[in-house]
Each structure stands twice: as structure tokens, then as C-alpha cells.
Amino acid sequence: EAKHRFAAEFISILASAIEDRCFAKCVRHPGRPMEAGERRCIERCTDHFFAAWNATSATLGRVQAKLLGNEQ
């Protein structure tokens, strides 16, 4: 159950971070229906966010492995 709670909290934090960055950057008129350009902007922003997240996670994994003496 703790793993599920942690996963739910993590997803919530991740969604909030994406919303903070991408929604604020891409949506010009909150409360109105999104335009096609705004949707594309959010898609690109989200893709970039996950690419950066994955690169950061991989780097942190390598650093952790080195610190633990398990260099890969």
C-alpha cells in the first residue's frame, strides 16, 4: 500500500510540474476552448519535459551507481 501511495503522490507531483510549465507557457486564454496551436504546444512541451526527466533520471542513476561502487 505504501508503494501505491508513493506512486500516486509522484504522479500528482509530476502532473503538477507539467501543468505549471506547459499550461502556463502554451495556453493564452484559460477558460476558453484550446486552439490547435495551444494543444500542439502542450504536446511538444510535455514531450520535452519527459525527455529532460528521462535524461536526468539516467544521469542520476549512473551517479548513484558510481557512488555505490557499482559502476556500469
Side-chain angles (χ1 to χ4, degrees):
E1 183 177 317
K3 285 183 181 181
H4 293 285
R5 227 175 315 136
F6 176 78
E9 180 67 20
F10 178 76
I11 289 170
S12 176
I13 290 169
L14 192 60
S16 180
I18 292 170
E19 181 180 350
D20 289 348
R21 286 164 181 80
C22 298
F23 187 84
K25 175 184 174 184
C26 297
V27 178
R28 293 179 290 221
H29 306 289
R32 294 186 187 172
M34 279 198 298
E35 299 171 1
E38 291 172 323
R39 284 192 299 274
R40 282 191 304 273
C41 179
I42 287 176
E43 289 171 5
R44 282 191 309 271
C45 182
T46 302
D47 288 345
H48 286 275
F49 183 90
F50 278 114
W53 180 273
N54 290 336
T56 301
S57 295
T59 300
L60 289 175
R62 286 191 300 273
V63 168
Q64 182 180 22
K66 286 182 182 179
L67 290 174
L68 295 175
N70 300 326
E71 189 172 337
Q72 296 177 356

